[in-house]
Amino acid sequence: MKSHKELTFLGIETSCDETAAGIVSCKKDNGRLSFKVLANIVSSQHIHSHTGGVIPEQASRAHIQLIVPIVKTALAVANKTYQDLDGIAVTYAPGLVGSLLVGLSFAKALALSLKIPFVGVNHLKGHIFSLFISYPELQPPFLALIISGGHTELLLINSYNQQKILGTTFDDACGEAFDKVARMLGLPYPGGSFIEKLAQKGKRTIMFPMPNMPAYDFSFSGLKTAVLYYLKSQTNPNKEDIACSFQEVVFDFLLKKIQLAVAEYQINKVGISGGVAINRYLREKCYEYGKIHNIDFYFPDLSMSTDNGAMIAAAGIANYLERGPSPLALAPIANIRYASTIN
């Protein structure tokens, strides 16, 4: 094992429908972690586009087929061998249990054979570390919003290993709402990028109701239902205007929660990560909003926004430096809630 001042970890991500492996090196200087991505290989399972959503059994089988070649490709791109690794990090929660089990089993077996540490990582913490990778200068405290197909969480980031969840969604995740509305409009899965493209041609002519949730919590099911009933009421609906109006109210809702947290915690740094963070209009809207309200927004590189192994490797290094390796008995967890800290 190298000095803790420099570590190289393999990160494995199989929580849903991306089979991903990343290799990250990290240097520690005066408590500050500096990450370098050596490889970041992601294979998205397009088989689910035919069914309009992820089928867990198919996802698990695809991970089994892909995980070995994806890891080998990551090592080749990084110009590393298994013997160059100081540890292996892997997502253990939350996600599809079968998919998580594939990554966990592979990571444990590989760590045992190489006699190196095995570290479990919460998927949400990985998304936070996509910000640390993309912005070496970003230091806590800051606010983080995770928006993806499976998650919508607003967090207060106090340190690398201390994150407080301020609010979460009570029903659909942000990206899930995009996928379901896209399906209503006859668009392919996953629907986020198709909604965005359609919205570019439309106008906000429909006043869909903004969700009304207390404090920092989120809900998108009512908005989704409003879109459904609007479509049923129209004989020839303008899909471009529907996409634009839906997208606008979602982003206004997110910004409302961000502004509330900025005011309460007096923190004007906000990182936004997860698959929905790829939306270019959201980025432009946030940057403009930030200029008006004196808020600095941080979005990960596009390759870091969706599920990937590099962010898991980085989070795994932070976990290891704080607490050491995880027990080999660590089991996959589909749904997980934390009162304060994300492991």
Side-chain angles (χ1 to χ4, degrees), residues 28 34 68 106 109 113 158 165 181 188 211 213 221 240 261 274 277 295 332-333 340 343:
K28 185 177 182 181
S34 177
V68 172
F106 181 87
S113 67
N158 291 308
I165 297 179
V181 170
M213 293 295 291
S221 63
E240 289 84 0
I295 301 173
I333 303 175
S340 58
N343 295 314

Side-chain angles (χ1 to χ4, degrees), residues 24-337:
V24 172
S25 65
C26 174
K27 293 183 179 179
K28 185 177 182 181
D29 185 20
N30 294 324
R32 186 168 181 172
L33 302 182
S34 177
F35 300 102
K36 182 179 180 181
V37 178
L38 306 179
N40 193 29
I41 309 301
V42 180
S43 176
S44 295
Q45 300 174 3
H46 296 291
I47 54 174
H48 305 293
S49 62
H50 302 298
T51 55
V54 178
I55 297 178
E57 178 66 20
Q58 287 188 350
S60 301
R61 291 180 181 275
H63 286 309
I64 293 171
Q65 295 173 344
L66 291 168
I67 192 165
V68 172
I70 291 297
V71 169
K72 286 184 176 180
T73 301
L75 287 167
V77 170
N79 195 25
K80 298 288 184 181
T81 66
Y82 286 117
Q83 285 67 38
D84 294 320
L85 299 175
D86 298 305
I88 299 174
V90 62
T91 304
Y92 78 95
L96 303 174
V97 170
S99 294
L100 290 168
L101 190 58
V102 174
L104 264 174
S105 301
F106 181 87
K108 289 177 182 180
L110 187 57
L112 275 172
S113 67
L114 295 174
K115 295 181 174 59
I116 58 177
F118 153 80
V119 182
V121 174
N122 184 302
H123 181 78
L124 299 180
K125 188 169 184 177
H127 279 302
I128 294 168
F129 271 75
S130 69
L131 294 163
F132 287 122
I133 291 173
S134 301
Y135 298 94
E137 74 281 6
L138 179 61
Q139 294 295 299
F142 63 90
L143 296 166
L145 176 66
I146 301 174
I147 43 177
S148 67
H151 308 286
T152 304
E153 276 87 14
L154 182 62
L155 308 99
L156 173 62
I157 312 302
N158 291 308
S159 71
Y160 290 119
N161 291 299
Q162 290 185 347
Q163 305 89 19
K164 179 182 179 182
I165 297 179
L166 303 180
T168 186
T169 180
F170 273 46
D171 40 64
D172 292 342
C174 184
E176 184 181 3
F178 269 84
D179 290 337
K180 289 180 177 178
V181 170
R183 188 170 185 175
M184 294 177 197
L185 297 176
L187 301 173
Y189 174 89
S193 61
F194 296 100
I195 289 282
E196 182 183 8
K197 291 177 182 177
L198 201 61
Q200 292 172 355
K201 303 175 183 177
K203 297 179 180 179
R204 190 176 188 177
T205 61
I206 309 161
M207 292 298 106
F208 291 125
M210 181 179 291
N212 183 19
M213 293 295 291
Y216 303 111
D217 289 323
F218 300 87
S219 171
F220 297 96
S221 63
L223 174 59
K224 177 192 66 181
T225 302
V227 175
L228 176 63
Y229 280 121
Y230 179 83
L231 281 168
K232 288 184 176 180
S233 71
Q234 303 295 305
T235 55
N236 188 25
N238 186 315
K239 293 184 178 181
E240 289 84 0
D241 287 353
I242 293 172
C244 180
S245 300
F246 165 76
Q247 179 175 265
E248 286 280 3
V249 72
V250 169
F251 294 161
D252 284 348
F253 181 46
L254 297 178
L255 285 170
K256 179 182 178 181
K257 297 296 184 177
I258 288 171
Q259 184 63 61
L260 188 65
V262 167
E264 178 174 348
Y265 291 94
Q266 294 296 297
I267 297 175
N268 68 342
K269 296 187 295 184
V270 181
I272 301 181
S273 57
V276 181
I278 288 179
N279 188 297
R280 294 185 184 276
Y281 177 70
L282 172 62
R283 295 184 178 221
E284 293 171 3
K285 189 178 181 75
C286 286
Y287 290 142
E288 288 299 317
Y289 188 89
K291 290 178 183 178
I292 298 171
H293 297 277
N294 190 32
I295 301 173
D296 294 326
F297 282 94
Y298 299 85
F299 287 86
D301 297 338
L302 294 180
S303 63
M304 287 289 130
S305 294
T306 55
D307 294 354
N308 65 86
M311 69 182 193
I312 301 302
I317 291 173
N319 280 2
Y320 176 72
L321 292 174
E322 178 81 6
R323 296 184 295 273
S326 299
L328 287 172
L330 184 68
I333 303 175
N335 298 304
I336 195 163
R337 288 287 183 266

